[in-house]
């Protein structure tokens, strides 16, 4: 997998995707599948990502004219590489790669491609070294909110909510997330705990709200229309005990932070 085969495959892939080979579709698909097979081995993921041209080939997923099958396979390759702690920072920092992943997550017609892209965002957001930079990325936050609210695939919604939960774990991100887009992150999490049929997504959303609560965000969260009421209902009526427990924790943390001087005290 090392010094000979992978660079050769990447070079052929580049030539196929830049119009230097005739009838390239079959070669593109077969090379992508081969690299994906390699990436299924955990011990090879860091080595694969280090090859010159590998991350560039991943970035081209949203700019090259790839078949649906090739896009899904390449998105799976990215997902496997992102599931290696040593690769998470490099993927976020590589010029244009995160933007390509976001484009697939938000716009691709393939449910599988969107699901893999959402999983990648969740994995990348779990890396502490990535969290501040990702939390400052408007396009990323907007994509996660869109996935949480309108995505039809339950697994993709769950992954997007998990990414928000991971980002909210970082204290530096909490105020930013609570204020972003006049409260659209809070609204997405409120909607998820209240109406999502996927109990894992509801649990993650309740966990994200728990992570968001701090002295800097409590008043903003307490004033967000319907949020306290939603937490109160979920904490006592959700059919899943773990969802109830996490909603109760979020509500308890808010109660500890909200003071009589705050406008939202009456709501509480």
């Amino acid at each position: 997998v090392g010094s000979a085969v992978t660079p050769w495959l990447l070079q052929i892939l580049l030539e196929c995707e830049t119009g230097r080979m005739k009838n390239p579709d079959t070669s593109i698909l077969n090379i992508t599948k081969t690299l994906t097979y390699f990436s299924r081995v955990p011990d090879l993921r860091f080595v694969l990502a280090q090859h010159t041209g590998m991350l560039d080939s991943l970035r081209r997923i949203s700019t090259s004219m790839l078949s649906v099958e090739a896009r899904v396979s390449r998105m799976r390759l990215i997902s496997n590489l992102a599931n290696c702690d040593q690769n998470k920072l490099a993927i976020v920092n590589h010029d244009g790669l995160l933007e390509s992943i976001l484009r697939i997550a938000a716009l691709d017609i393939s449910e599988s491609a969107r699901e893999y892209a959402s999983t990648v965002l969740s994995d990348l957001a779990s890396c502490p070294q990535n969290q501040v930079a990702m939390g400052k990325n408007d396009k990323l936050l907007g994509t996660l909110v869109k996935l949480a609210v309108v995505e039809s695939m339950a697994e993709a919604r769950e992954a997007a909510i998990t990414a928000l939960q991971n980002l909210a774990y970082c204290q530096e991100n909490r105020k930013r997330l609570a204020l972003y887009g006049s409260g659209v992150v809070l609204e997405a999490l409120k909607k998820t705990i209240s109406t999502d049929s996927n109990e894992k997504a509801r649990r993650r959303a309740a966990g994200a709200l728990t992570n968001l609560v701090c002295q800097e965000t409590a008043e903003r969260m307490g004033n967000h229309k319907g949020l306290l009421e939603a937490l109160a209902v979920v904490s006592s009526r959700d059919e899943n005990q773990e969802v109830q427990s996490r909603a109760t924790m979020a509500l308890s943390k808010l109660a500890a932070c909200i003071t009589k001087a705050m406008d939202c005290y009456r709501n509480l």
Side-chain angles (χ1 to χ4, degrees):
V1 182
S3 59
V5 176
T6 301
W8 177 69
L9 292 175
L10 291 171
Q11 182 58 40
I12 296 175
L13 195 61
L14 177 62
E15 292 180 6
C16 288
E17 292 176 10
T18 53
R20 284 179 270 174
M21 294 185 69
K22 294 182 179 180
N23 304 315
D25 291 352
T26 300
S27 296
I28 289 173
L29 179 59
N30 288 337
I31 291 171
T32 302
K33 283 184 173 181
T34 301
L35 294 172
T36 302
Y37 292 146
F38 289 162
S39 72
R40 292 171 64 180
V41 181
D43 289 346
L44 296 180
R45 290 170 183 168
F46 176 67
V47 175
L48 281 169
Q50 297 304 300
H51 282 290
T52 300
M54 174 61 79
L55 298 185
D56 283 337
S57 75
L58 304 181
R59 180 187 61 201
R60 295 196 301 271
I61 188 172
S62 68
T63 57
S64 297
M65 297 296 292
L66 304 179
S67 67
V68 171
E69 189 176 3
R71 286 201 312 278
V72 171
S73 185
R74 195 165 308 184
M75 201 64 247
R76 186 177 180 185
L77 170 58
I78 297 173
S79 181
N80 288 345
L81 295 183
N83 194 232
C84 169
D85 288 342
Q86 295 164 292
N87 291 335
K88 296 180 193 296
L89 188 62
I91 290 173
V92 168
N93 289 338
H94 190 80
D95 185 38
L97 179 50
L98 182 59
E99 288 76 8
S100 289
I101 296 167
L102 292 173
R103 201 170 295 122
I104 296 296
L107 301 173
D108 203 279
I109 61 173
S110 165
E111 290 185 343
S112 294
R114 297 197 308 272
E115 181 183 349
Y116 280 126
S118 302
T119 301
V120 169
L121 296 175
S122 175
D123 275 337
L124 296 177
S126 71
C127 173
Q129 291 90 343
N130 283 338
Q131 288 170 349
V132 173
M134 293 179 73
K136 292 179 180 178
N137 188 321
D138 284 350
K139 186 177 292 186
L140 182 141
L141 295 182
T143 299
L144 293 178
V145 168
K146 177 183 178 181
L147 289 168
V149 173
V150 303
E151 172 58 51
S152 60
M153 287 281 292
E155 294 81 1
R157 293 198 309 275
E158 179 192 343
I161 294 293
T162 303
L164 289 171
Q165 182 182 13
N166 289 337
L167 294 179
Y169 185 77
C170 173
Q171 185 172 357
E172 191 172 338
N173 283 341
R174 292 170 189 167
K175 184 176 180 180
R176 159 79 169 154
L177 291 173
L179 295 176
Y180 173 74
S182 300
V184 294
V185 170
L186 298 179
E187 187 64 23
L189 296 174
K190 183 189 79 173
K191 179 179 179 182
T192 300
I193 63 169
S194 301
T195 64
D196 200 299
S197 59
N198 182 352
E199 64 182 29
K200 292 181 180 179
R202 298 198 309 277
R203 187 180 73 234
R204 293 291 191 181
L209 288 167
T210 301
N211 287 349
L212 279 176
V213 180
C214 64
Q215 293 294 339
E216 289 185 306
T217 63
E219 187 168 15
R220 179 67 185 83
M221 295 178 72
N223 283 326
H224 187 85
K225 185 177 180 180
L227 180 57
L228 292 176
E229 292 86 345
L231 284 169
V233 170
V234 172
S235 67
S236 59
R237 298 182 187 175
D238 195 278
E239 61 188 22
N240 182 281
Q241 284 292 118
E242 197 167 353
V243 176
Q244 284 192 24
S245 176
R246 293 192 182 193
T248 301
M249 187 178 299
L251 198 57
S252 298
K253 286 183 69 177
L254 280 167
C257 293
I258 292 173
T259 67
K260 290 183 178 180
M262 295 179 182
D263 292 340
C264 57
Y265 183 77
R266 185 179 296 275
N267 294 338
L268 180 64

